[in-house]
Amino acid sequence: FRLKYGRNFTYGTVEEFRGKRAVVRVSYDICSNVKSGLYVVESFAKIKRGDLVKISVERPMLGLRGAKVRAILGKSK
């Protein structure tokens, strides 16, 4: 499953932002192995509250504890 359907990004909604940091709400994503919750991430794109954004994910080798959300790559359409 991981080799065929896995990906290194997920989608989330911007709850708050200040400067280069943002709080993003992410729902559970089986393809990227991300747990749901609020994450504080860095932003490399211009965003505003309520935007749907694409977020990079760092996946561990075995993936037993889930992936870590790293940074906002850009807005999603």
Side-chain angles (χ1 to χ4, degrees):
F1 182 84
R2 182 176 175 185
L3 294 174
K4 187 172 183 179
Y5 300 107
R7 60 185 185 194
N8 59 355
F9 65 90
T10 189
Y11 296 99
T13 306
V14 176
E15 296 289 323
E16 293 182 32
F17 71 96
R18 183 172 296 161
K20 293 284 184 181
R21 297 254 183 207
V23 176
V24 180
R25 179 175 302 276
V26 176
S27 60
Y28 177 71
D29 186 7
I30 194 167
C31 293
S32 60
N33 196 18
V34 173
K35 296 179 182 178
S36 62
L38 291 172
Y39 295 96
V40 178
V41 295
E42 286 191 45
S43 174
F44 298 119
K46 295 212 178 227
I47 56 170
K48 60 184 177 192
R49 190 173 185 203
D51 283 346
L52 183 65
V53 291
K54 188 175 181 180
I55 306 165
S56 68
V57 171
E58 180 182 319
R59 298 187 331 174
M61 182 62 88
L62 297 176
L64 299 175
R65 293 181 184 231
K68 295 181 183 176
V69 176
R70 288 296 172 202
I72 295 174
L73 298 173
K75 287 186 187 179
S76 179
K77 294 181 180 180

